[in-house]
Amino acid sequence: SIPLKPLDTVRIYYRVIVGSFLNLSFAQEQHDKLQQMGYTPIIRQIKKQDKRYFIVQIGAFETKESAEETSKYLNSKNIETRIERYETQ
């Protein structure tokens, strides 16, 4: 059997995804727009089904509520978002 890590080593965070682009320059545009609004966005690169995507995200929020607050604010500015939960070791 696979040894399990103790639960206290797993941290749960939430990030607000603000765009997924095939083109880096579109991701950079979204990044810059968010930066001008006072956020500290990052661009992550992922590969899915032989395509490369550039994901623009804000945060590593410790609570879902904090991520939702940011998401709602951006939605009010006509910026589509989604919240993604992730774990770190």
Side-chain angles (χ1 to χ4, degrees):
S1 72
I2 300 170
L4 299 175
K5 290 189 176 190
L7 286 177
D8 61 0
T9 64
V10 175
R11 301 273 325 233
I12 295 171
Y13 294 99
Y14 299 87
R15 52 185 162 219
V16 178
I17 305 299
V18 193
S20 177
F21 304 91
L22 289 169
N23 184 314
L24 178 58
S25 64
F26 293 151
Q28 191 65 54
E29 273 180 43
Q30 185 73 296
H31 173 278
D32 294 348
K33 179 179 180 179
L34 293 164
Q35 209 166 38
Q36 289 169 6
M37 293 173 73
Y39 292 102
T40 308
I42 64 166
I43 298 174
R44 284 187 302 125
Q45 190 177 166
I46 63 168
K47 195 170 184 177
K48 194 173 184 180
Q49 297 172 344
D50 293 329
K51 288 187 179 178
R52 191 172 52 171
Y53 292 91
F54 300 96
I55 311 298
V56 182
Q57 79 176 52
I58 296 173
F61 296 94
E62 291 188 1
T63 66
K64 188 175 184 180
E65 292 75 21
S66 296
E68 285 171 344
E69 197 175 296
T70 298
S71 180
K72 284 178 187 172
Y73 177 77
L74 292 171
N75 291 164
S76 79
K77 300 292 181 189
N78 295 315
I79 298 172
E80 287 187 36
T81 62
R82 78 179 198 290
I83 295 172
E84 193 175 85
R85 178 183 187 270
Y86 68 102
E87 298 176 357
T88 63
Q89 300 292 326

